[in-house]
Amino acid sequence: MTLENLQAPAFTLQNEEGEMVALDNYKGKNVILYYYPKDLTPGCTTQACDFRDKYEDFSDLNAVILGVSLDDSAKHTKFIEKHGLPFSLLVDEDHKVAEKYGVWTLKKNFGKEYMGIERTTFLINENGIVEKEWRKVRVKNHIEDVLNYLKNRTN
């Protein structure tokens, strides 16, 4: 499944503070929407901290960062506070939005199969179009790849 060049699926999800956040709130901005498996785990922490460390660079490019996982708002708050994350984390506990974005997938780990979140990043442009997607993300250098794409794209 690819969403590139398509209208981004609309969503409204709760953030870490219990506020409802809609994609429509960000018209006119680039949205870096990244799905990750679980708060406070090594790979997800590295990814979140890498986004944190480049937050100003993304802001300078008219981009907002939104992380999404199945974790609840209390867990998101712990994650944000522990690592000083300057962006919101959204709650998709029932994975309905994950399904719209094609990131709720069959995973295999140590011989077991289960449904879970596939680490994926979407760049949704100012017009609400999925301009670029990175699926099955490897954390190392990923944030640099997203930032470089945003810096070097032609509009």
Side-chain angles (χ1 to χ4, degrees):
M1 171 181 190
T2 183
L3 296 174
E4 282 188 12
N5 302 313
L6 299 175
Q7 187 72 36
F11 65 80
T12 302
L13 292 170
Q14 183 179 340
N15 72 6
E16 71 283 352
E17 295 177 357
E19 302 164 338
M20 298 310 288
V21 174
L23 180 59
D24 284 349
N25 297 356
Y26 299 100
K27 286 272 194 228
K29 291 206 170 275
N30 296 298
V31 176
I32 308 300
L33 182 71
Y34 81 95
Y35 262 92
Y36 64 97
K38 194 163 179 51
D39 287 344
L40 301 165
T41 56
C44 298
T45 297
T46 298
Q47 184 178 22
C49 290
D50 287 352
F51 272 123
R52 175 200 64 202
D53 295 346
K54 295 294 182 182
Y55 181 77
E56 291 302 322
D57 295 330
F58 281 102
S59 292
D60 291 346
L61 296 167
N62 192 36
V64 296
I65 299 166
L66 297 172
V68 189
S69 78
L70 306 181
D71 294 303
D72 64 24
S73 57
K75 192 107 181 254
H76 281 343
T77 297
K78 239 186 240 179
F79 194 29
I80 287 169
E81 288 174 354
K82 182 170 184 177
H83 297 289
L85 304 180
F87 49 84
S88 276
L89 299 177
L90 306 179
V91 177
D92 190 10
E93 284 180 297
D94 62 6
H95 52 78
K96 285 195 169 120
V97 178
E99 290 176 38
K100 288 183 187 180
Y101 279 83
V103 300
W104 182 247
T105 62
L106 184 66
K107 298 176 86 173
K108 295 178 183 178
N109 198 7
F110 300 111
K112 294 190 189 250
E113 290 187 347
Y114 59 95
M115 294 300 289
I117 294 294
E118 179 180 271
R119 191 182 309 276
T120 306
T121 301
F122 299 92
L123 167 59
I124 302 167
N125 70 21
E126 299 95 332
N127 300 314
I129 304 296
V130 177
E131 184 174 318
K132 178 85 173 142
E133 59 185 21
W134 292 264
R135 293 196 178 260
K136 297 184 181 177
V137 166
R138 298 271 180 237
V139 173
K140 188 174 172 54
N141 300 319
H142 173 62
I143 279 65
E144 285 296 329
D145 292 345
V146 176
L147 188 59
N148 287 333
Y149 177 86
L150 199 54
K151 282 180 183 172
N152 297 320
R153 71 184 188 168
T154 53
N155 285 335

